Amino acid sequence: MKNETDLRVLVVDDTVVYRMVVSEVLSELPGVRVVGSAHNGKIAMRKIADLKPDLVTLDIEMPEMNGLEVLRRMAKDAPNVGAIMLSAYTGKGSDMTMTALQLGAFDFILKPQHGTLKENRAELKKNFKPMLKAFARLREVRKILNGKGMTTRKRPGAVSHRPPATPVRTAVLHHKSEIVAIGISTGGPVALAHFLPKIPGDLGVPFLIAQHMPPVFTASLAKNLDRQCAITVKEAVDGEKILPNTAYIAPGGRQMKVIDDIFKNAKIIRITDDPPENGCAPSADYLFRSVAELFGGCATGVIMTGMGADGAKGLQRMKEKGATIIAQDESTSVVFGMAKKSIEAGIVDVVVPLEKMAEQIQSTTVRR
C-alpha cells in the first residue's frame, strides 16, 4: 500500500518497452510510487510541473528534447527534482552520461543490452534498488537539515556549505606520501571534477583512482577530467609505468593494482580480471591493498562519496602500514556510505569537505 512518504517517480523514455518495464520494476519496489511517464523531454517538463515528482528516470537520447536539455531545464524550473539517467552502453552514451552527471544527475543506470525480458527486468531491479534507497536517504537528510525538502540544485560542481557533520581535523603525518590512492563511487565524477583541477601540475606524485563504473564510461570520465586538470588524467593500461603528476583511473569492470616490476626497475600498473570485491570492479579495497604492500607508510589513502563499504578494509591495511587516510565529510558527499564506514572504523586521520580536499592531499605529499 502506497503512502505519502513514498518516493514519487516520473519515468521518461522514448521507447514504449522501456517506459513499461522501468515503470513496472519501480512499482514493485517498496517506498516507490510511479506517478506517470513521458515519451519525450517536452512532455516530461510539463508532467514535472503538474505531477511534482521527487525523482525522474531520464533517457539520454530522445527526440525533440534530449536528456541533457531536460536536465538544463530542470535546473531552472524544477531544481528540487532529482534525476537518474538511463544510458546506452556506447561511447557516445558514456560521453553524454558524464555531461549529465556534471549537470546534476544523481547517478546513472545502463540499459540492459542482452538477455530475456525477465533477465533485463531483474537486472534493472537489482541496480535501481540500492540507488533509490540512497537517493531517498539523501532526500530525508536534506529535509532534516534545511526544513524544506531537497536543496536547490547548484551549478555543476558546486558544493554545499552546510556545517560539516564531522569536525575537520588536522592529520598527524608520519611520512610524506609518494602516491595518492582514491576510492569513490556515487557522486564521484562531479567530486573528482571539483577537486582534481585544483591539484598543481608539478605536485610530483601519481594518483590511482578506483571509481565504481562500468566499462567504456571510465574512458569518457578520464577524457573529461584530463581537459580540466593541470595533471594528466588517463584510463589506466596494464603494464604501464606509474609516473608522477598523472592520475590513473581503473578501467570499468576490471581491477587495478600496483606492483614492483624488477625487470623494468619500476612500479607498474596491473589491470586484472580478478572477481569483484564488495560487488565492485574496480574495487577500492583491491587497489588499496596493493598500495599498502608496495608503498607502506609513504602513501595517502582517500575515501570519498559513494554507496556501500568498499575501501574500508583496504584502508585498514594502509593504516596498519603507516599511511595517511583522508575522508570526505558528510555535508559534501552525495552518498555518505564509503567514507562513513571508514570514519566509524577509526582509521581516518582527517575528515574534510570537498572544497578542502585538494589542499589536504597536497599537505601530505612531497613536491619534487
Side-chain angles (χ1 to χ4, degrees), residues 152-231:
T152 299
R153 182 183 281 113
K154 302 177 183 293
R155 66 186 182 280
V159 180
S160 165
H161 292 285
R162 298 190 303 273
T166 309
V168 176
R169 297 184 283 115
T170 302
V172 178
L173 305 180
H174 303 290
H175 307 278
K176 284 291 186 178
S177 294
E178 298 175 0
I179 192 167
V180 178
I182 300 171
I184 192 165
S185 185
T186 306
V190 174
L192 291 170
H194 183 83
F195 90 86
L196 275 183
K198 296 179 181 179
I199 299 294
D202 62 347
L203 186 62
V205 300
F207 289 72
L208 298 179
I209 303 172
Q211 160 74 64
H212 296 166
M213 259 186 184
V216 180
F217 289 79
T218 43
S220 293
L221 175 63
K223 181 174 64 176
N224 189 299
L225 290 171
D226 187 57
R227 289 194 293 262
Q228 304 175 55
C229 295
I231 61 174

Side-chain angles (χ1 to χ4, degrees), residues 30-77:
V32 177
R33 184 192 309 178
V34 176
V35 295
S37 64
H39 68 271
N40 66 47
K42 287 185 177 180
I43 294 174
M45 289 309 304
R46 291 202 297 269
K47 291 199 172 187
I48 288 171
D50 293 340
L51 300 172
K52 295 179 171 46
D54 301 305
L55 178 70
V56 175
T57 66
L58 190 58
D59 188 18
I60 291 185
E61 298 186 59
M62 296 184 295
E64 295 193 54
M65 182 188 289
N66 67 27
L68 300 184
E69 293 170 319
V70 171
L71 281 174
R72 292 186 179 100
R73 284 280 301 276
M74 286 173 62
K76 295 178 180 179
D77 301 338

Side-chain angles (χ1 to χ4, degrees), residues 7 20 64 74-75 88 97 103 105 123 144 154 163 185 190 199 205 214 220 270 279 287 311 314 326 330-331 346:
L7 195 66
M20 177 189 70
E64 295 193 54
M74 286 173 62
T97 298
L103 289 173
E123 183 177 349
I144 293 168
K154 302 177 183 293
S185 185
V190 174
I199 299 294
V205 300
S220 293
R270 272 283 172 254
L287 170 64
I326 302 171
E330 182 175 10
S331 71

